[in-house]
Amino acid sequence: MLTVSFSGSRRTSPVILFLADMASSGYSDLREKLKSMTPHRDEVKNKYADVESNGSGKERKRKIRESDDDDYEHSDDSVESREQEAGRVKSSILQENIFTPEECALIEEKIDDVVIKGEAGLYREHTVDRAPLRNKYFFGEGYTYGSQLEKRGPGQERLYRKGEVDEIPSWVDELVIKRLVSSGVVPEGFVNSAVINDYQPGGCIVSHVDPLHIFARPIISVSFFSDSALCFGCRFQFKPIRVSEPVFVLPVRRGSVTVLSGYAADDITHCIRPQDIKARRAVIILRKTRPDAPRVDSESPFPVERPAPLKARPAPLKAKRSHRRRADPDAAHRPRVLEMDKEENRRPSDSHHRRHSISSENYWRRGQDSDKHRESSGRKVKMRRH
């Protein structure tokens, strides 16, 4: 047996003892020996990789974490909550295919006419609202929203004054609204606001809820030109534009009618994502405004906070109004502001505010000192009252 000497003594090497023990145990591979000594590691690893059944035929993945840097998967509670929310959205949506391809083609020609008139400037100021890859046409009633608001946020939207947008075109009433009334989708006389959204490929509308204080429910929309999708519960980020995973995605086909009420209309946002507009698409949104909806520049239970008016620019100091000058018996013999001093005051400088804050007495002394210097240098300076 090999031995190793320490400080003159003869002791058996621990390495030799370990190898001898491994041989007596029947192990020829050190990894097998170490694995047998730490069986709990495999148990811990397998514990988090198990897949268990919930008794309903569905399998749920447990949280798996390979390292401290890895992200957890969605918990079972989170997935279940989203599924319940998606169910509430779906249950509050009515969708029907009412318009035939021939009816769609006729309505799409009318939408093209609206675009042509808009480009020609034949509509009133607030009828047309342009945005990148999307134009909006308000008829009957229009309202302020988004960047048009003086104060951002839900509840700040306002209807325009009566007559500031064009009336609902007769073809919308004949070809769309009456068709929906005859199909039992909306009652007669319900619609007094029609909006046409015309999207180009890649266009979008960010997540929003149609203003509750402006519009009654339900919200009706009819799709034309191409198929798309309406998404619920998304979050938008910009530069570059990104959209989070929706809670629920509703396909919308050409000629289909979508009716939002309840949870889908009031309690969750909806949007159109850029990736869902693959070809030109137009939608006609039909709504009814509430009788007590606030209007621009009108008294309402939803007051608009207006920014404070800009303060008028302070007038240049006029030394002749100085109280010190009136009290000074020699003030009558002092010269008025020199012409070149006036020119200096006209030039912008970083010390503009400081010059306006100096006292009248110092202002006159500066003029007097400048005058003495010019007289000593032989220059003749023309003085003028102002």
Side-chain angles (χ1 to χ4, degrees):
M1 178 179 292
L2 295 176
T3 58
V4 181
S5 175
F6 295 95
S7 303
S9 63
R10 298 174 61 85
R11 297 179 59 186
T12 303
S13 167
V15 176
I16 299 301
L17 291 175
F18 179 80
L19 292 175
D21 180 64
M22 191 176 77
S24 65
S25 301
Y27 292 104
S28 59
D29 191 328
L30 177 60
R31 291 172 295 181
E32 296 179 1
K33 175 67 175 177
L34 293 174
K35 186 175 181 180
S36 68
M37 295 172 66
T38 57
H40 60 282
R41 292 186 178 180
D42 288 341
E43 293 176 2
V44 172
K45 183 177 180 181
N46 292 333
K47 178 180 178 181
Y48 292 94
D50 288 341
V51 177
E52 65 178 14
S53 173
N54 62 3
S56 61
K58 296 181 180 179
E59 292 185 347
R60 298 183 302 170
K61 290 186 178 180
R62 290 175 175 262
K63 298 178 184 178
I64 300 176
R65 190 177 184 181
E66 294 294 338
S67 68
D68 292 338
D69 297 330
D70 291 340
D71 294 328
Y72 283 106
E73 292 184 358
H74 291 297
S75 67
D76 296 333
D77 293 341
S78 175
V79 173
E80 184 177 356
S81 175
R82 289 174 66 87
E83 290 177 352
Q84 291 176 353
E85 189 172 22
R88 288 194 290 269
V89 174
K90 187 176 181 179
S91 65
S92 53
I93 296 174
L94 171 66
Q95 194 172 55
E96 295 185 21
N97 293 318
I98 293 179
F99 294 90
T100 66
E102 293 74 22
E103 290 173 322
C104 287
L106 178 58
I107 294 170
E108 287 161 2
E109 289 180 5
K110 299 296 185 180
I111 294 175
D112 285 337
D113 292 339
V114 169
V115 174
I116 293 172
K117 291 181 68 174
E119 293 291 340
L122 301 179
Y123 288 124
R124 297 171 188 174
E125 178 184 0
H126 295 301
T127 296
V128 184
D129 178 39
R130 303 185 186 281
L133 302 179
R134 189 207 76 220
N135 288 340
K136 225 181 219 310
Y137 303 89
F138 292 101
F139 296 105
E141 294 281 9
Y143 67 101
T144 60
Y145 70 101
S147 61
Q148 302 167 356
L149 299 177
E150 293 178 341
K151 182 181 179 181
R152 303 290 183 91
Q156 299 301 319
E157 299 87 353
R158 296 289 181 273
L159 289 173
Y160 288 118
R161 300 181 190 89
K162 282 286 188 180
E164 291 194 348
V165 303
D166 287 77
E167 295 299 322
I168 297 177
S170 58
W171 65 264
V172 173
D173 186 52
E174 293 292 331
L175 301 180
V176 183
I177 297 176
K178 287 185 177 180
R179 187 81 164 82
L180 296 178
V181 171
S182 63
S183 300
V185 176
V186 295
E188 188 170 0
F190 178 81
V191 177
N192 69 345
S193 170
V195 178
I196 299 176
N197 283 339
D198 187 16
Y199 296 92
Q200 299 302 316
C204 68
I205 187 167
V206 298
S207 298
H208 67 283
V209 172
D210 290 37
L212 289 162
H213 64 290
I214 297 289
F215 297 108
R217 270 39 179 172
I219 309 296
I220 306 101
S221 61
V222 191
S223 297
F224 297 100
F225 287 108
S226 66
D227 300 341
S228 183
L230 186 64
C231 294
F232 294 82
C234 294
R235 293 187 303 275
F236 274 65
Q237 293 182 340
F238 302 91
K239 297 181 180 180
I241 189 168
R242 302 180 303 282
V243 186
S244 66
E245 181 183 355
V247 171
F248 181 71
V249 179
L250 177 71
V252 286
R253 309 296 181 188
R254 178 189 181 217
S256 66
V257 178
T258 303
V259 182
L260 303 183
S261 60
Y263 192 90
D266 301 340
D267 300 304
I268 190 171
T269 60
H270 59 272
C271 70
I272 301 292
R273 300 180 299 178
Q275 58 264 42
D276 293 326
I277 305 293
K278 299 179 175 62
R280 183 193 176 190
R281 183 220 178 200
V283 58
I284 301 178
I285 304 172
L286 304 171
R287 295 175 287 203
K288 178 181 179 62
T289 58
R290 297 186 183 276
D292 59 347
R295 293 188 181 274
V296 175
D297 294 334
S298 66
E299 296 295 331
S300 71
F302 304 93
V304 179
E305 293 186 10
R306 299 185 181 277
L310 296 176
K311 294 183 178 180
R313 190 182 233 171
L317 292 176
K318 296 183 179 181
K320 63 182 179 181
R321 297 299 180 190
S322 171
H323 294 287
R324 289 176 180 266
R325 178 174 176 269
R326 288 199 299 269
D328 190 348
D330 298 329
H333 304 289
R334 287 182 178 150
R336 297 286 181 171
V337 179
L338 302 181
E339 188 68 17
M340 64 187 308
D341 286 339
K342 290 169 65 180
E343 183 64 24
E344 179 183 352
N345 288 338
R346 294 191 190 102
R347 298 194 190 103
S349 68
D350 296 336
S351 59
H352 177 76
H353 179 73
R354 181 179 58 81
R355 285 206 312 271
H356 280 274
S357 63
I358 62 177
S359 67
S360 299
E361 182 180 6
N362 292 336
Y363 192 83
W364 281 111
R365 285 179 179 174
R366 188 182 67 178
Q368 187 178 22
D369 293 342
S370 300
D371 184 55
K372 289 180 180 180
H373 175 72
R374 289 174 178 82
E375 289 177 355
S376 62
S377 61
R379 292 181 58 190
K380 293 182 179 180
V381 180
K382 182 180 179 180
M383 294 185 294
R384 179 182 301 175
R385 290 184 180 272
H386 68 92

